Amino acid sequence: MDILTLSGSSGIIQNVLDKSGSAAKGVEKGQSDLFSAMLGTAIDNIHTTNSYISDAENEELKLALGETENTHDLTIALQKASTALQYTVAIRDKFMDAYKELINMNI
């Protein structure tokens, strides 16, 4: 499946395409630009997920130490971390499925 057909389905794919230029320009330059843009976006996603998890842990510590009584901030931080982690795992699973499909192709 061509990734260009998925460009309308996700803002992340469109962001990657915008970073690498137009699709025709990316093909002329080579596939490495598109791959590096996708890899960079994936790494940014991992950093964001780690940031949300760290924020949730900090909120848990604040509540445990009695520095705050606001459970609302803790709930929001935990939900952000959970959602980001689920999204990251889903992306990883899709990459692994694509890798397995490439490995199983007959040449």
Side-chain angles (χ1 to χ4, degrees):
M1 174 182 262
D2 187 9
I3 194 166
L4 298 178
T5 60
L6 299 174
S7 64
S9 66
S10 173
I12 293 174
I13 294 173
Q14 188 61 43
N15 187 18
V16 169
L17 290 175
D18 290 343
K19 285 183 180 178
S20 66
S22 68
K25 185 178 176 183
V27 171
E28 290 172 6
K29 283 185 168 182
Q31 302 265 333
S32 65
D33 291 338
L34 183 60
F35 178 76
S36 65
M38 287 184 67
L39 184 61
T41 302
I43 290 171
D44 290 342
N45 184 21
I46 291 170
H47 289 303
T48 302
T49 301
N50 287 337
S51 172
Y52 285 145
I53 291 171
S54 177
D55 291 345
E57 289 173 352
N58 289 340
E59 288 296 327
E60 287 175 342
L61 286 173
K62 284 180 185 178
L63 187 66
L65 295 174
E67 293 178 6
T68 183
E69 294 179 8
N70 188 358
T71 59
H72 183 70
D73 291 339
L74 173 62
T75 307
I76 290 173
L78 288 172
Q79 187 60 42
K80 280 183 179 181
S82 175
T83 303
L85 187 59
Q86 289 174 356
Y87 182 73
T88 302
V89 169
I91 296 294
R92 184 216 49 200
D93 291 344
K94 289 294 182 181
F95 276 125
M96 292 305 295
D97 290 341
Y99 174 75
K100 288 177 185 175
E101 188 174 329
L102 286 173
I103 292 299
N104 291 331
M105 282 186 179
N106 291 331
I107 296 177

